[in-house]
Amino acid sequence: MNVITGIIAAPNARVVIAVARFNHLINDNLLDGAVDSLTRIGQVKEKNITVVWVPGAYELPLAVSALADSKKYDAVVALGTVIRGDTSHFDFVAGECSAGLAAIAVRTTLPVVFGVLTTDSLEQAIERAGTKVGNKGAEAALSALEMINVLQAIKI
Ligand code: INI
């Protein structure tokens, strides 16, 4: 039996983090968590981490598509926060964001990980940005590194 798994450490990886400014109070913490995971756990060098800010989660797929096509990175971590309001706006922003990011990953065979919070309340977002339910930015960054190593192992 052949089993392929990916380790987390990726000391030579070049990682780009695309982060939305909308709800930046939350996203700043997701970004901190992602950078901490990449450097402290993943051993990624700070000089190999790039951060790109976009207006909102809806813009993440366009920026991530361009970043993936640039071939300069081994993985993209997409960060943002979409909080449900009184209208159906949430569904359009969150839906387009997640479907768009998934499509880019499959199109380019580049790890594009989903560190976008989609919550019913600000409180739920805070809980997932470095308080009682952890930090989803940190988790997303680890998934990116694991996928870099899994894809590398698949290609050997
Ligand atoms: N963008 C977000 O990242 N999160 C939100 O919760 C949000 N809400 O609720 O409106 C949001 N809207 C902006 C959107 O992402 C675009 O930037 C905007 O529509 C311009 O295209």
Side-chain angles (χ1 to χ4, degrees):
M1 181 171 69
N2 294 311
V3 179
I4 294 176
T5 58
I7 60 168
I8 301 295
N12 295 315
R14 300 157 304 164
V15 179
V16 60
I17 303 171
V19 55
R21 267 200 313 276
F22 202 105
N23 290 322
H24 81 89
L25 194 75
I26 305 294
N27 300 341
D28 287 347
N29 288 337
L30 298 178
L31 178 59
D32 284 351
V35 171
D36 180 64
S37 279
L38 292 176
T39 54
R40 194 172 50 79
I41 303 174
Q43 302 295 298
V44 177
K45 298 171 189 70
E46 276 206 29
K47 70 175 169 73
N48 289 339
I49 301 174
T50 302
V51 177
V52 177
W53 288 91
V54 300
Y58 188 82
E59 282 71 36
L60 283 171
L62 174 59
V64 169
S65 187
L67 290 165
D69 288 342
S70 76
K71 309 256 187 236
K72 290 182 186 166
Y73 308 102
D74 301 306
V76 189
V77 179
L79 302 177
T81 304
V82 193
I83 302 174
R84 194 181 290 281
D86 295 333
T87 69
S88 57
H89 195 68
F90 170 96
D91 300 304
F92 290 98
V93 174
E96 290 302 320
C97 178
S98 84
L101 293 173
I104 296 157
V106 173
R107 174 177 69 78
T108 61
T109 330
L110 189 77
V112 174
V113 297
F114 190 63
V116 179
L117 300 178
T118 56
T119 66
D120 290 332
S121 67
L122 178 61
E123 188 184 0
Q124 285 179 346
I126 292 169
E127 285 172 355
R128 288 157 179 78
T131 62
K132 67 181 194 188
V133 193
N135 186 317
K136 297 298 170 190
E139 288 176 24
L142 296 182
S143 297
L145 297 182
E146 184 173 341
M147 284 308 296
I148 289 172
N149 288 321
V150 167
L151 288 179
Q152 207 167 36
I154 288 171
K155 286 174 192 164
I156 290 170

